[in-house]
Amino acid sequence: MSKDQKSLLVQGYEVVIGFETHTQLTTQSKIFSRASTSFGAEPNTNASAVDFALPGALPVMNKGAVQRAIEFGLAVNAHIAEKSIFARKNYFYPDLPKGYQISQFEIPVVQGGVVEFFLGDEKKSVRLVRAHLEEDAGKSLHEDFIGQSGIDLNRAGTPLLEIVTEPDMRSTAEAVAYAKELHKIVTWIGICDGNMQEGSFRCDANVSVRKPGAPLGTRREIKNLNSFKFMQQAMDYEVRWQIEQIEDGHEIQQATVLFDPDTGETRSMRSKEDAADYRYFPDPDLPPLVIGRDWVEKTRSEMSELPRVMAARFMTGYGLSEYDAGQLTQSKATAAFFEAVASASGQAKLASNWVMGELSRRLNAEDKSIEASAVNSDQLASLIKRIADGTISNNGAKQVFDLLWTGKHTLVAGSFTDMDAMTLALIESEGLKQMSDTGELEAIIDGVLAANAKNVEEVKAGNAKAFNALVGQAMKATKGKANPAQVNELLKKKLG
Ligand code: ADP
Ligand code: MG
């Protein structure tokens, strides 16, 4: 066992996690009917005869749902089945009036695939088993009725793509990082809106523990985790609970559990059914789903650049590190903002530093998305150009950035010919312009050298600290407006 793996052990146990994620697809209408999928409508107004399971109503496949499944498969390098089968998963529940859910069982539409991501600076890859199309169930409403339950079938028949991983994850942190990466992929390609609160992206975490080298332990499945924070808490609790049980001499029973955010605990919902309990069989109402290779290839050619491809391009095209490129492709909007700043300023590295540094710090502090940034890409680019040409220091630029962000300055945007002119005016009016006049700077440095004869002696005797002290004195004498690199250079010339 490598050192890394050892350090991952929790109280001597290895954690094993596999995920099943239900992503709600962004189609306008349902997977087998023409009813709308919009969220929040009056109960039972977005449901058709098919969704109500009226006798004789037949399902018709929504091509848009298949299209999205193909896009997902291509995004994770999976195989798109030439022919997949819809199956009935039989179970009784009031919000499932047909008595079965239409899903895919033996032959799913998306087979295999891999999701790659970073955990800190460590590269991880999680293998997918499959992704299959299925319909969502309705909802039981318990709160509005006393002694009765209501049924809302608006959600019934909403298209889902259920994405299943191999049990490849070895820590709860890795599992959360996987979920975040998957969320990024499905929202990036636009097959899912990613709204976790509304249930568009729900994760089931299968968790087990074992002694290193032992066969897989018995898993318990935590259902419907709809926030990354709860996901982490739920799995951490579950791991501790399972270890405690085993240490106390109990065996883990396979079970389905729910996480209660109020207590921070998981509790058993039901003992886990096996596939055999569902009596799966091919749905006679739906023909096999046949996907021609021309459809797959057309989709491939029309898909926008994927995050990992874009990250690779950022590395080769802009010379960014793998980590930076990964961070900048966290969302399409972030990537677009970075590219706009990089191309308008011609300074990719600075653009990357600023987008991931000052800009994201401000966005986080105010809980804003980059689309709502108070400083736009043109403004940031014009500021970066002035850092690059030495007009302003990085620290000075942070002050200007702050003024642009808060709008606490008196300049009127309309009175300038362009953003560069306005940024320059702002730099000047704030007195943040670095000294560019070499003659003036030289005179100041001569003064500093004359006043610090002792330091000069020490520098000549090879004392590097004394040199830094002179740089500091010179910066002070210019009230911080000199370019430190230029001061360094001039001092070296004069002392050298
Ligand atoms: P089912 O469909 O009955 O829930 P699967 O065998 O398809 O069961 O597995 C469901 C999920 O559980 C998969 O993501 C898989 O990786 C994961 N899994 C299977 N065995 C384990 C285990 N021992 N520990 C953790 N996760 C597991
Ligand atoms: Mg399951």
Side-chain angles (χ1 to χ4, degrees), residues 75 77 188 304-316 329:
N77 275 332
W188 184 288
S304 64
E305 194 177 27
L306 292 166
R308 63 166 189 273
V309 177
M310 189 180 273
R313 180 167 62 77
F314 284 5
M315 288 164 67
T316 50
T329 49

Side-chain angles (χ1 to χ4, degrees), residues 36-50:
S36 165
T37 52
S38 67
F39 182 83
E42 278 293 300
N44 298 309
T45 55
N46 283 348
S48 71
V50 171

